[in-house]
Amino acid sequence: MSALEKPLSSTLGVASKAMPKKHFMHVVGARPNFMKAAPVIRALGEKGSRQTLVHTGQHYDFNMSEVFFEQLGLPRQETNLEVGPGSHAKQTAEIMMRLEPVLLEKKPAAVVVYGDVNSTVAAALVSAKLRIPLVHVEAGLRSFDRSMPEEINRLLTDQVADTLFTPSADADENLLREGVAREKIFRVGNVMIDSLVRLLPESARHLPPHLPDRFALVTLHRPSNVDVPGYLRQLLGTFAELSKKISVIFPVHPRTRQRIGELRLDVMPNGTLHLLDPLPYLSFLALEQRATVVITDSGGIQEETTFLRIPCLTLRENTERPITVTLGSNKLVGRGIGRLVEELELVLAGRPKRGEIPPFWDGHTAERIAAILT
Ligand code: UD1
């Protein structure tokens, strides 16, 4: 029986008859939610909590969702709201409309949301209006860039959350400055690292075949990078140039794939630039751990590379995860191609930034969360 087929109670732990347990409802929707929810569900399950899992359907491709459920051992979701793609307003509104009756019916004692995607803010607003206590895991991160949809999602979710779990001290400071009461804030560490620590050994078996000794691993999906045709063209040109010196492995997000298709950039002239479909969690982890350098605009990958001490060049002007730069292996190279090329040269010359692992990024964050929630 696969993890997906297991009844929820067997995976999540069953509340004992004698002592009714608090019912937690987890709401997830997009790829970066899954590796954060899995350890929390597991830790609450070990405490015997009653839990349900709702998938909004924001991400729906097998490669973006189901394979993560399988590999992370997430239980089959009780409800899938199947919202699919749409503008931000449409997607958020659809999730809100479809989630409200589920909450009214199931009446959880608390709703738990993760990160900063549209599903997070939608579930937060519905829960707050129904006066259901809201728990936000990965609270307090700020890029201070309101042109990023995720920044709006973070600000709003944290304002209505009742319990806020933060990964680092900067997040606590942001929340306090925004008027969040100190007693609601708990610094527990980085929950995504729990999944990484647990599954790193297993990931070795998921290495793609014929992997070169040295390679750059690329991911790119932010609208600010991929929705500007000239810039995307320039970036792909840089990766093609880079691939003359070192293999470049680029699992392509559906949005980016669409843009590359629109620009007719599919056929690259170079044999060592590999454009792949999005990869399952374990294969990506295996690559990340062995990469010579990672080039990305993802938030989570800045953190994973910091933990793995793999040099990371982030194609953004700012980051909501500053500790990955101050302490970790991350460098912000902005959107200028020149800086990217310079930094790549440094890595190729054998001078990578390795950094250090931040405190509390130890694989035990979910246990701390479960202890506080129960
Ligand atoms: C979302 C999150 C982003 C996160 C990213 C990880 C928001 C605002 N953004 O961005 O923070 O870093 O997920 O992937 O919530 N698509 C598919 N199949 C899928 C999912 C998406 O084809 O399974 C395509 C659709 O055409 C869709 C587009 O990708 O319109 C973008 O998907 P969407 O969920 O809107 O945002 P992401 O860019 O994935």
Side-chain angles (χ1 to χ4, degrees), residues 215 217 285-295 301-313 324 328-331 347 352-355:
F215 61 92
L217 178 62
L285 261 194
L287 284 179
E288 220 175 350
Q289 196 193 10
R290 285 161 186 79
T292 309
V293 61
V294 174
I295 304 168
I301 293 171
Q302 295 171 50
E303 297 182 327
E304 289 171 350
T305 47
T306 277
F307 182 83
L308 296 169
R309 306 188 67 220
I310 298 292
C312 177
L313 304 177
T324 62
S329 61
N330 188 20
K331 285 188 180 181
V347 174
K353 182 183 181 195
R354 296 273 172 213

Side-chain angles (χ1 to χ4, degrees), residues 32 58-61 64 88 117-118 150 221 253-255 258:
Q58 178 178 345
H59 282 178
Y60 45 89
D61 284 359
M64 298 292 286
H88 284 258
V117 301
N118 286 345
E150 292 83 357
H221 73 283
H253 184 280
R255 170 200 283 281
Q258 214 173 320

Side-chain angles (χ1 to χ4, degrees), residues 147-165:
S147 69
M148 267 181 97
E150 292 83 357
E151 184 74 355
I152 310 293
N153 297 345
R154 293 180 200 117
L155 282 160
L156 296 181
T157 303
D158 286 340
Q159 277 302 315
V160 294
D162 300 283
T163 306
L164 300 95
F165 290 116

Side-chain angles (χ1 to χ4, degrees), residues 131-334:
R131 309 295 307 248
I132 300 173
L134 178 71
V135 178
H136 186 202
V137 176
E138 197 190 83
L141 297 183
R142 296 291 179 268
S143 65
F144 304 101
D145 173 2
R146 292 197 182 186
S147 69
M148 267 181 97
E150 292 83 357
E151 184 74 355
I152 310 293
N153 297 345
R154 293 180 200 117
L155 282 160
L156 296 181
T157 303
D158 286 340
Q159 277 302 315
V160 294
D162 300 283
T163 306
L164 300 95
F165 290 116
T166 64
S168 46
D170 56 284
D172 299 7
E173 283 160 25
N174 292 334
L175 293 173
L176 291 170
R177 202 182 43 252
E178 289 167 16
V180 176
R182 190 178 289 274
E183 57 272 20
K184 293 182 182 176
I185 306 170
F186 300 89
R187 194 188 320 157
V188 286
N190 191 323
V191 78
M192 198 184 56
I193 300 301
D194 287 17
S195 283
L196 189 155
V197 168
R198 185 170 72 85
L199 291 170
L200 206 53
E202 196 179 329
S203 73
R205 291 194 288 114
H206 292 254
L207 262 184
H210 314 301
L211 196 65
D213 284 344
R214 280 161 56 84
F215 61 92
L217 178 62
V218 176
T219 81
L220 209 59
H221 73 283
R222 297 254 161 245
S224 56
N225 283 334
V226 304
D227 289 358
V228 184
Y231 185 59
L232 181 59
R233 196 185 290 274
Q234 249 187 331
L235 277 176
L236 287 164
T238 307
F239 301 148
E241 273 306 303
L242 175 65
S243 72
K244 291 177 187 164
K245 297 180 188 157
I246 183 172
S247 291
V248 177
I249 301 179
F250 183 3
V252 187
H253 184 280
R255 170 200 283 281
T256 312
R257 173 74 71 185
Q258 214 173 320
R259 299 293 179 262
I260 291 177
E262 285 160 14
L263 293 176
R264 300 190 186 284
L265 291 171
D266 297 77
V267 190
M268 302 302 297
N270 206 292
T272 60
L273 172 57
H274 306 277
L275 301 189
L276 315 177
D277 283 336
L279 288 173
Y281 182 68
L282 291 171
S283 311
F284 191 79
L285 261 194
L287 284 179
E288 220 175 350
Q289 196 193 10
R290 285 161 186 79
T292 309
V293 61
V294 174
I295 304 168
T296 191
D297 59 6
S298 149
I301 293 171
Q302 295 171 50
E303 297 182 327
E304 289 171 350
T305 47
T306 277
F307 182 83
L308 296 169
R309 306 188 67 220
I310 298 292
C312 177
L313 304 177
T314 297
L315 294 166
R316 286 175 45 187
E317 302 288 353
N318 49 54
T319 178
E320 62 287 341
R321 293 156 160 96
I323 200 164
T324 62
V325 176
T326 52
L327 211 58
S329 61
N330 188 20
K331 285 188 180 181
L332 291 183
V333 298

